[in-house]
Amino acid sequence: MAPLSWCGFPGWRWRSPVSVTLPSLELSSAIKNPSLLKLLQLESCRICIRGRMSEQNSPVQADSLPRQDIKTSPSHTANPVLLVTQTDSRDKWSKKMDFLLSVIGFAVDLGNVWRFPYICYQNGGGAFLIPYTLMAIFGGVPLFYMELALGQFHRTGAISIWKRICPIFKGVGFAICIIALYVSFYYNTIIAWALYYFYSSFTGTLPWTSCDNPWNTPNCTNYFGKSNVTWTAFSKSPAEEFYTRKVLEIQKSSGLYDVGGIRWQLLLCLFLIFTIVYFSLWKGVKTSGKVVWVTATLPYIVLLILLVRGATLPGAWRGIVFYLRPNWEKLMSTVWVDAAAQIFFSLGPGFGVLLALASYNHFNNNCYRDAIVTSAVNCLTSFLSGFVIFTVLGYMAEMRDVEVEDVAKDKGPSLLFITYPEAIANMVGSTFFAIIFFLMMITLGLDSTFGGLEAVITAVMDEYPHILAKRRELFVLGLITICFLACLCLSCQGGAYVVKLLEEFGAGCSILAVVLLEAIAVSWFYGIQRFCNDVKAMLGFTPGIFWKVCWVAISPAFLAVSIFPPLMLFDYHYPEWSISVGYLIGASSFICIPFYMVYKLVWTPGSLKQRLAVCIRPEKAIRDQQADSVCMSSVP
């Protein structure tokens, strides 16, 4: 075998770790062919230049070499034809739209429908759009772009990627996986609630329309279609009692001290949800990339239908005015903190999903354009959802003869399971609108849970390929089973209290701290110039000064200011000990970071200074990877 270790111009030497070999006879045949030899020299130089760039500025990645094909002209068919190709065992997206829809589906979730409208009107209506836009430009989008670029360049999951960036921060990858599991626990439970509503909607009269049901109490007050009805502080709508007393049966639980028994109806819904998730993920991006064509596009069709219907309701204009009316005094309050938290949790950097999804891209995919497009779609979807929600809230205020502010006091899942269903129940064609609304909620939720669990699957399989490479189906089945069993307590009569606890602490401050460390590790330890050179190797251009400043300083500062409100659900104030439990839940993921740092330092040989130098320097692990390889073969 004759190694091809030369470059066709004087003064160049190719010292690539990628072995490129030819049978000696084929190489000699190529040398006898002048035109073929020239082509081979040009292609060798292109690979040489890229190899030198990678070697100088970043860990050398074999799969960073673009696919190249060298063929002879038809006039030389008598000689063997040399092909320079890439062999890559890693899955790829079948189509570019599969990737885009997967990213959009993950980023656009239930939070876009309920949290953005609530945060917007609470913080000054139209005035909130100013800090929201600024936080998106200087904080959210740069982090979004960074994760897509990291995943696409290094082509690996959230755990093993750190040995190519800064090995001592590998605990960040384990923390991301634990957080993703916590999110999966409570998020799929909420989707199960939506599935229960979806099933209950297939009836002539929606069950939350009247107060004549076995689960209703004397406080149930139905004001639609009736006159002289007084709404008091103790009044409960039929939709609220259906949610709390029929779906959750929360009246049978005294709180976190006694969560009650398991609701078998919710458990069955949860089983169906996890079954859908399994068969969407078991084969990798080849299957999930097809499913998102439905789950990522259907919500937009439903949103437009609900927007048109809401705009025709009496009093809809009151809700829109309340939604967009600017209150400039709010700009001097905590609105900037709320805007930072909202844009971060909306776009979702730090959950490992963007790393995982981008790792299945082709090396030269334009991830910069993808980041801009998907971020814009996400923000516009949030804005559109505000109109969908507040046209209905204005209608309800008109019917109750109260201010919109009094109707819009509910937030979180309550807005989706109480306020909006109540309005739907009193529309013409209520059954149709209820079915499509809850179908939209299910698809929005499934998209996000696909992304979250794919992040865990990709991270663990890339970290332990020798064990799991041929056993993806079994591994995914085991992961889904663990998630289902962990959700049993969330399916209890007091499960909503546990859901709220996990929502606030499972992915609250801990995920912000994780992303802060990620931004610092990439910008300060790996090096912003090295990262920009990686981007240039993929896209052909270097990120501008704006992106560099954001990655080094502005985005980390933006993460450091986000805070969270105290816990409360259905007028139930969480006991002090539950807050301590919440902090333990948050710490259980974050603790992986210092533990791994200590482990890495202890097991690395040398003095402390030498250990630190090794632990913060990217490993050139190309020999240990089953990565792309450049190979040449002859075609007769």
Side-chain angles (χ1 to χ4, degrees):
M1 306 294 283
L4 179 64
S5 58
W6 47 269
C7 196
F9 293 104
W12 282 91
R13 294 181 60 217
W14 184 16
R15 294 176 291 107
S16 172
V18 183
S19 176
V20 184
T21 60
L22 292 175
S24 299
L25 180 60
E26 295 178 4
L27 181 59
S28 62
S29 299
I31 295 175
K32 293 177 183 178
N33 187 332
S35 61
L36 179 58
L37 179 61
K38 184 176 180 180
L39 276 173
L40 186 56
Q41 289 175 331
L42 290 174
E43 292 301 326
S44 298
C45 286
R46 291 179 61 183
I47 299 173
C48 168
I49 293 169
R50 188 177 299 282
R52 289 172 61 85
M53 181 184 298
S54 251
E55 186 176 3
Q56 291 171 0
N57 300 308
S58 63
V60 179
Q61 303 303 319
D63 51 3
S64 69
L65 299 175
R67 182 184 179 96
Q68 304 291 342
D69 296 314
I70 305 177
K71 300 182 180 180
T72 59
S73 61
S75 60
H76 298 285
T77 55
N79 294 322
V81 178
L82 295 179
L83 298 176
V84 181
T85 61
Q86 275 187 291
T87 59
D88 187 5
S89 60
R90 191 174 186 83
D91 286 342
K92 296 285 197 310
W93 296 103
S94 299
K95 299 178 182 178
K96 175 66 176 287
M97 282 302 298
D98 292 356
F99 166 70
L100 289 177
L101 289 176
S102 296
V103 174
I104 292 172
F106 162 71
V108 178
D109 63 354
L110 295 174
N112 292 75
V113 178
W114 68 260
R115 196 172 191 272
F116 177 83
Y118 174 82
I119 294 294
C120 188
Y121 90 76
Q122 187 186 48
N123 289 282
F128 175 76
L129 298 178
I130 297 175
Y132 178 79
T133 303
L134 291 177
M135 288 296 180
I137 293 174
F138 292 100
V141 178
L143 291 171
F144 195 89
Y145 179 21
M146 172 185 281
E147 281 217 354
L148 287 183
L150 284 172
Q152 184 171 304
F153 183 83
H154 295 286
R155 300 176 54 72
T156 187
I159 298 177
S160 54
I161 193 174
W162 287 100
K163 63 186 178 184
R164 310 184 188 185
I165 297 175
C166 188
I168 200 171
F169 282 95
K170 191 175 181 179
V172 170
F174 291 104
I176 287 173
C177 291
I178 295 175
I179 292 171
L181 289 178
Y182 287 151
V183 173
S184 174
F185 297 161
Y186 76 79
Y187 204 81
N188 285 289
T189 302
I190 295 176
I191 304 173
W193 297 348
L195 182 59
Y196 185 93
Y197 268 86
F198 179 72
Y199 167 77
S200 302
S201 300
F202 286 90
T203 179
T205 301
L206 296 176
W208 58 87
T209 302
S210 67
C211 294
D212 304 325
N213 302 289
W215 58 81
N216 291 127
T217 66
N219 289 328
C220 182
T221 304
N222 187 8
Y223 53 87
F224 280 93
K226 299 180 181 180
S227 57
N228 301 324
V229 175
T230 304
W231 187 268
T232 67
F234 300 99
S235 297
K236 304 291 184 182
S237 68
E240 182 176 354
E241 292 203 342
F242 177 79
Y243 175 53
T244 58
R245 301 182 64 83
K246 174 61 176 175
V247 178
L248 302 179
E249 290 189 355
I250 205 166
Q251 74 277 8
K252 298 180 181 179
S253 169
S254 58
L256 289 176
Y257 294 99
D258 178 20
V259 294
I262 292 178
R263 294 272 292 124
W264 68 267
Q265 296 93 334
L266 295 182
L267 188 64
L268 179 59
C269 291
L270 194 64
F271 178 78
L272 292 175
I273 291 298
F274 275 117
T275 301
I276 295 172
V277 172
Y278 173 73
F279 285 107
S280 299
L281 296 178
W282 70 324
K283 292 294 185 181
V285 295
K286 300 295 184 183
T287 53
S288 62
K290 299 298 181 289
V291 176
V292 294
W293 280 84
V294 176
T295 56
T297 56
L298 182 63
Y300 289 96
I301 298 174
V302 176
L303 279 175
L304 290 176
I305 294 174
L306 294 176
L307 177 61
V308 173
R309 182 68 184 100
T312 61
L313 295 172
W317 64 272
R318 294 177 59 186
I320 294 176
V321 169
F322 185 80
Y323 175 44
L324 296 179
R325 182 178 55 207
N327 182 355
W328 302 111
E329 295 178 359
K330 290 283 188 178
L331 292 178
M332 305 304 294
S333 64
T334 60
V335 60
W336 298 91
V337 175
D338 290 338
Q342 171 59 27
I343 193 64
F344 172 78
F345 284 103
S346 179
L347 290 175
F351 288 92
V353 179
L354 302 177
L355 288 173
L357 297 181
S359 71
Y360 299 106
N361 275 334
H362 293 280
F363 182 77
N364 297 112
N365 174 67
N366 193 338
C367 58
Y368 169 72
R369 181 177 57 199
D370 295 343
I372 299 299
V373 170
T374 52
S375 299
V377 169
N378 178 275
C379 295
L380 291 175
T381 303
S382 298
F383 190 59
L384 173 66
S385 299
F387 288 98
V388 174
I389 295 297
F390 275 93
T391 52
V392 170
L393 294 181
Y395 165 63
M396 292 180 62
E398 186 84 4
M399 295 296 101
R400 286 189 188 182
D401 196 22
V402 295
E403 295 298 323
V404 178
E405 185 176 16
D406 298 325
V407 179
K409 61 183 179 181
D410 290 323
K411 63 176 181 176
S414 297
L415 184 63
L416 300 179
F417 292 110
I418 298 177
T419 309
Y420 209 91
E422 180 181 350
I424 288 177
N426 295 276
M427 296 179 185
V428 177
S430 58
T431 298
F432 168 74
F433 288 109
I435 289 173
I436 64 171
F437 176 73
F438 289 110
L439 182 61
M440 177 191 72
M441 287 180 58
I442 293 169
T443 54
L444 282 173
L446 285 175
D447 279 336
S448 296
T449 203
F450 289 162
L453 288 177
E454 182 60 53
V456 179
I457 295 167
T458 300
V460 177
M461 290 190 64
D462 285 347
E463 180 65 11
Y464 307 104
H466 54 289
I467 300 175
L468 302 174
K470 304 295 185 181
R471 302 179 178 90
R472 179 183 173 97
E473 292 87 351
L474 289 176
F475 173 65
V476 175
L477 178 61
L479 180 65
I480 295 296
T481 302
I482 291 172
C483 292
F484 177 75
L485 294 176
C487 289
L488 291 180
C489 67
L490 280 70
S491 302
C492 294
Q493 293 156 340
Y497 298 126
V498 186
V499 168
K500 184 68 174 179
L501 193 68
L502 282 175
E503 182 185 358
E504 294 295 332
F505 290 101
C509 296
S510 55
I511 191 64
L512 289 175
V514 163
V515 183
L516 177 61
L517 289 177
E518 179 183 315
I520 291 173
V522 173
S523 300
W524 299 355
F525 287 86
Y526 184 68
I528 194 64
Q529 190 56 49
R530 186 188 310 207
F531 175 63
C532 290
N533 287 336
D534 294 346
V535 175
K536 184 177 181 180
M538 292 187 296
L539 308 184
F541 58 86
T542 304
I545 186 64
F546 166 78
W547 300 105
K548 294 179 182 179
V549 172
C550 287
W551 288 328
V552 170
I554 298 179
S555 294
F558 139 88
L559 290 168
V561 300
S562 300
I563 59 175
F564 301 92
L567 280 181
M568 190 177 72
L569 181 67
F570 303 131
D571 298 325
Y572 171 75
H573 292 269
Y574 282 67
E576 290 296 326
W577 65 266
S578 68
I579 306 300
S580 300
V581 171
Y583 286 129
L584 287 176
I585 292 173
S588 65
S589 58
F590 187 79
I591 200 68
C592 296
I593 301 173
F595 274 7
Y596 188 84
M597 287 180 174
V598 173
Y599 163 80
K600 186 69 175 177
L601 286 172
V602 169
W603 286 96
T604 301
S607 65
L608 179 60
K609 183 177 180 180
Q610 291 172 332
R611 295 180 184 188
L612 285 173
V614 170
C615 290
I616 65 175
R617 185 170 60 242
E619 299 175 7
K620 295 187 178 181
I622 197 68
R623 296 183 304 273
D624 304 326
Q625 301 164 17
Q626 298 298 324
D628 293 359
S629 62
V630 177
C631 61
M632 294 190 179
S633 59
S634 63
V635 179

